[in-house]
Amino acid sequence: MDSLQLKVRVSLFFIAILFSPHAWSASAPEYSLGLGVDATRFYYREFDNNDVVLNTEKGVIPGLVINAAIEWERWYTEFNYQYNFGKVEYDGQTQTGIPVTTDTEEDIVDVNLLVGRYFGDNARYRSVLYAGLGYYYWERNILPLPSVAGLLETYEWSYAIVGGKFSLLKASDNGLFIDARLRRMLNATMEVNFLGYRNWDNLDLDLGEEWSFRVGVPYVHSLDKNASLNIEPYLSTWFIGRSADKELTSGGTPVGISAHEPRSETINLGITVKYLYQF
């Protein structure tokens, strides 16, 4: 495991301890668990150095979401896990410019830990400011055709988060929020597996680390004193800068060809439906 990633993941644990001690509130903490499903309209584009689109990937992929939180009077710590998987349409071209249409298998894991502070009175639906750290894993398997080799790309990065969830509706049984956050990529890397093509070795690249954002509109409907149904449509983005060129090798020997990861953007529209139980 990369040393920076190890430090980030350990930091997730200690941030929760540092920012949410019992001493900050006289009240006993409340715990909640959430489980739900997600559907994302995945849309990805790569660009050349002149901002011409090289390839696109688009399609709807389902997902699973898990949430756990500890809340005090003013502070809370929240863990979020989301896994999306599925097949989308790939529309691109070979290095020689021949059009290619195939499918790509997507496997995406997004994990984060947030620490936030509530504002306003002790009403059930309050505004909150938060910060945190996360980890993103994306496996992109571009499937082969009879005349075109496939490609397996694995992206990984940690990221920092700062944002807020602002109350738009405060009814006794319902709450409506706008949840907006900025995300900054940290230690973004990519591994390219050529799947035996020309016996090229796997290629490791350092990606251009950029800012991105996510905006959601969560609606909370209380089912009873302890349970609620959360429905959240959202827009989620990731922007990746062009990597530096790196020479390809075969058996450790340079082959005289360099490669890079182009600039790209991912703009996803999705909706999450989650059952939340508080105890």
Side-chain angles (χ1 to χ4, degrees), residues 13-35:
F13 174 76
F14 285 105
I15 284 177
I17 296 176
L18 290 173
F19 283 87
S20 301
H22 289 274
W24 289 17
S25 175
S27 61
E30 295 182 342
Y31 304 88
S32 63
L33 292 174
L35 179 64

Side-chain angles (χ1 to χ4, degrees), residues 92-139:
Q93 58 187 346
T94 66
Q95 292 184 343
T96 58
I98 300 174
V100 173
T101 301
T102 183
D103 291 325
T104 300
E105 294 175 340
E106 313 285 1
D107 279 273
I108 302 171
V109 176
D110 189 359
V111 182
N112 61 65
L113 181 67
L114 304 177
V115 176
R117 187 185 190 280
Y118 291 110
F119 291 89
D121 56 27
N122 291 327
R124 187 166 191 176
Y125 304 111
R126 294 177 289 171
S127 298
V128 62
L129 294 178
Y130 59 78
L133 292 171
Y135 170 73
Y136 195 85
Y137 174 92
W138 172 25
E139 187 175 277

